[in-house]
Amino acid sequence: MSIQTANLPQWISTLSLATASLLQICNALFAPELIAAYPDAKVVLNVRRDVDAWYRSFESTMGVFDENPVNLDWVSSWFCRDLFWIRQCMNCTKIPLFFRGSFAKNGKEVYRDHVELVRNTGLSPDRFLEWSAEDGWEPLCEFPGKPIPQEPFPSGNTPDVYNKRLAAIMMGYYATASEYTVSGWR
């Protein structure tokens, strides 16, 4: 996967209108191009030391997008354009594109390949930090020369917390879909 570096700033500008998760996967898809386009930028490669733990975490949060199930989300997406495009983006584009067709089949391999790809870009130590959330604030703040916060490093994006936040968001989409179906039947 490659994009022309000359067009990258406009691409990034356009992409910034999308969701944070879109940016994360797109950043991963185009890591070498982004690194080349921004030669003065510092790069933080966020890694999980336990690939199996990462896989289970991703599977329990984003794994549903690998399956594209016919369920309430699928039916509701007929009546809620935001939900429709989220499903299209995740089920038909992001997950299959990044995970070479299937997260379930290729997730761990893609993860390992991505980590190696970024490690092997030839970045100097002053531009590259391989970091894990378990490392906490200190290396993450020292790398760009920022002060270390006094509060404990956050640990709030567990699969349970993520799924509760997602459920609350989905309720809004379901409400939109049901309003449309009810008003459409009048």
Side-chain angles (χ1 to χ4, degrees):
M1 180 75 37
S2 183
I3 58 172
Q4 293 186 4
T5 306
N7 296 333
L8 194 60
Q10 182 176 353
W11 177 78
I12 293 296
S13 167
T14 302
L15 192 58
S16 69
L17 300 173
T19 65
S21 63
L22 176 63
L23 290 171
Q24 292 169 359
I25 286 188
C26 286
N27 284 344
L29 278 168
F30 302 111
E33 291 85 358
L34 288 165
I35 290 167
Y38 298 97
D40 296 329
K42 292 183 177 274
V43 175
V44 177
L45 176 61
N46 184 355
V47 296
R48 289 285 294 264
R49 293 186 179 110
D50 182 346
V51 175
D52 292 328
W54 168 82
Y55 182 90
R56 287 188 305 273
S57 175
F58 192 96
E59 184 178 45
S60 69
T61 56
M62 305 296 283
V64 68
F65 292 113
D66 195 35
E67 300 162 8
N68 199 13
V70 175
N71 59 12
L72 179 60
D73 292 354
W74 181 75
V75 172
S76 297
S77 72
W78 296 354
F79 305 102
C80 177
R81 69 176 175 262
D82 291 341
L83 183 55
F84 173 83
W85 286 112
I86 288 169
R87 287 183 57 85
Q88 289 299 306
C89 181
M90 295 300 292
N91 295 84
C92 302
T93 307
K94 286 171 53 176
I95 298 298
L97 181 63
F98 187 70
F99 291 106
R100 301 177 196 140
S102 170
F103 169 76
K105 293 177 186 169
N106 304 317
K108 291 178 188 180
E109 178 185 4
V110 169
Y111 178 86
R112 288 183 188 110
D113 289 351
H114 173 72
V115 168
E116 285 307 309
L117 175 73
V118 176
R119 283 177 179 159
N120 293 323
T121 55
L123 289 167
S124 61
D126 66 316
R127 283 196 59 211
F128 179 68
L129 173 66
E130 187 167 317
W131 175 84
S132 178
E134 294 89 3
D135 298 335
W137 287 123
E138 193 168 315
L140 189 60
C141 294
E142 287 178 353
F143 182 56
K146 301 293 181 185
I148 299 168
Q150 295 302 309
E151 61 267 7
F153 190 80
S155 61
N157 202 24
T158 63
D160 206 32
V161 168
Y162 173 88
N163 286 325
K164 286 178 184 172
R165 190 172 60 243
L166 181 61
I169 292 168
M170 295 307 295
M171 292 308 292
Y173 293 136
Y174 298 150
T176 299
S178 65
E179 286 172 19
Y180 178 80
T181 57
V182 169
S183 67
W185 289 338
R186 290 183 182 169

